[in-house]
Amino acid sequence: MDPLLAVKIGCLAGLLVVPLLCGLIPSQVQWFQINMARGKHRRILSFIGCFAAGVFLGACIMHMVADALGDIKTEIEKRQQQGALVPNQNSTSDGDDSEGYPFGELIISFGFFLVFFIESVVLSCCPRAVHSHSDAEAHDDHKGVPESHSSFRAFVLFLSLSFHSVFEGLAIGVQKEDTGAIQLCLAVLIHKAIVAFSLALKLIQSGTKARWRLLYLVVFALMSPVGIAIGIGVSLSNGDGSGLAQAVLEGVAAGTFLYVTFLEILPYELRSHESPLVKFSFIGFGFFVMALVAIWA
């Protein structure tokens, strides 16, 4: 077997097993069930939730949005050079950073408004499908607990992360050297393990049923290996793939993730009754971890 192919298959196996295990820890261990926690236990889980929120904020800004903007810009420049797109005549000729219309930002915004529109339609047709409220007595018993995440938004979160995972795996699958594939795999592995743990926490907070949580986590763990398999196929066939379509999909996924991060995850954590400075510290630490991973990923 080709050594490079063997390395990629090893990466595929690692990116399947490790994130799945990291996701199953909070999903299956009763200690992480925040609805059953009290006192110090609840505060610790709240701080872990703030760390997870920081992880998602970092994944959103430092990974998904940055990757999408870079890939869209690269693909548009390719097509401008090939004459497939007419270069913007209004851009300055001095070679500055102003290079015409911000297509990347537009595509990301489309993803944001797409989820906004779908959620608005769902909310109009079935209000309880979007916001999961406790009944009056339960709310009185748990006054320190912010209302749970929307099941719909939890699904959108899972979907956008899964899309992004496919593209991460694709980047590993098309590598042409062993060292490059291993380095990128290690960075993605750390990133995805942290995100899988955080995703499981958010699924628990959203009230997602155990069997659906398990299904989401298994599918999420499978996405990077699927991307690696596609990348291996592309590299073996010497094809370029549909780069622009991939970049557009990644941009839409980044926009959906942006919506869930800023309108659901952060507000949920900030509504808790813990110290604002402590919450800021844990959110900032989660963001810092993802910013650090971005050096290699």
Side-chain angles (χ1 to χ4, degrees):
M1 182 186 291
D2 179 23
L4 178 58
L5 181 60
V7 166
K8 290 179 180 179
I9 292 174
C11 294
L12 186 153
L15 282 170
L16 172 63
V17 174
V18 175
L20 183 58
L21 291 176
C22 290
L24 288 176
I25 291 171
S27 180
Q28 300 300 317
V29 177
Q30 194 171 12
W31 189 87
F32 289 96
Q33 310 297 319
I34 194 167
N35 292 332
M36 303 175 65
R38 298 289 184 276
K40 185 178 180 181
H41 182 189
R42 179 175 292 283
R43 284 196 297 275
I44 292 172
L45 288 179
S46 177
F47 296 148
I48 293 174
C50 288
F51 171 78
V55 166
F56 284 121
L57 182 61
C60 178
I61 296 173
M62 302 298 296
H63 293 264
M64 296 185 75
V65 171
D67 291 350
L69 288 175
D71 290 347
I72 292 168
K73 181 180 177 182
T74 299
E75 291 301 323
I76 289 175
E77 286 175 350
K78 279 183 187 176
R79 278 148 184 79
Q80 285 178 337
Q81 290 170 1
Q82 295 167 359
L85 293 177
V86 179
N88 193 311
Q89 300 298 324
N90 295 325
S91 60
T92 59
S93 58
D94 297 330
D96 61 14
D97 292 332
S98 173
E99 296 183 359
Y101 193 81
F103 288 106
E105 288 82 352
L106 178 66
I107 292 169
I108 291 172
S109 300
F110 172 76
F112 182 96
F113 281 102
L114 178 64
V115 181
F116 191 7
F117 171 73
I118 293 172
E119 185 178 82
S120 298
V121 171
V122 173
L123 184 59
S124 298
C125 300
C126 184
R128 294 192 62 82
V130 177
H131 293 289
S132 173
H133 298 281
S134 304
D135 57 37
E137 290 117 334
H139 186 272
D140 289 338
D141 290 339
H142 307 288
K143 291 198 175 187
V145 189
E147 72 179 34
S148 66
H149 288 265
S150 138
S151 296
F152 173 78
R153 285 175 175 173
F155 175 73
V156 171
L157 176 66
F158 150 75
L159 207 58
S160 58
L161 283 171
S162 297
F163 265 118
H164 185 64
S165 294
V166 172
F167 301 132
E168 286 179 331
L170 192 61
I172 296 170
V174 297
Q175 290 295 308
K176 297 179 180 178
E177 296 181 359
D178 301 13
T179 52
I182 292 171
Q183 288 174 352
L184 187 56
C185 177
L186 288 174
V188 172
L189 191 61
I190 295 169
H191 166 243
K192 195 169 179 185
I194 298 169
V195 170
F197 184 91
S198 303
L199 174 63
L201 279 179
K202 298 307 167 188
L203 290 174
I204 291 169
Q205 291 175 344
S206 72
T208 305
K209 292 181 179 179
R211 64 176 180 275
W212 287 106
R213 281 203 308 266
L214 181 60
L215 178 62
Y216 286 173
L217 290 170
V218 169
V219 172
F220 175 67
L222 281 169
M223 289 300 101
S224 287
V226 167
I228 293 175
I230 294 171
I232 291 172
V234 169
S235 61
L236 290 177
S237 64
N238 296 317
D240 294 330
S242 182
L244 183 59
Q246 174 185 327
V248 169
L249 284 174
E250 193 164 8
V252 173
T256 62
F257 195 66
L258 201 66
Y259 180 91
V260 175
T261 299
F262 283 96
L263 273 73
E264 176 69 10
I265 294 172
L266 285 174
Y268 176 87
E269 299 303 339
L270 294 175
R271 280 199 301 268
S272 69
H273 291 208
E274 310 303 334
S275 166
L277 281 177
V278 176
K279 288 188 290 187
F280 167 82
S281 299
F282 277 92
I283 291 172
F285 179 57
F287 182 89
F288 172 77
V289 169
M290 298 312 290
L292 199 62
V293 172
I295 296 173
W296 299 282

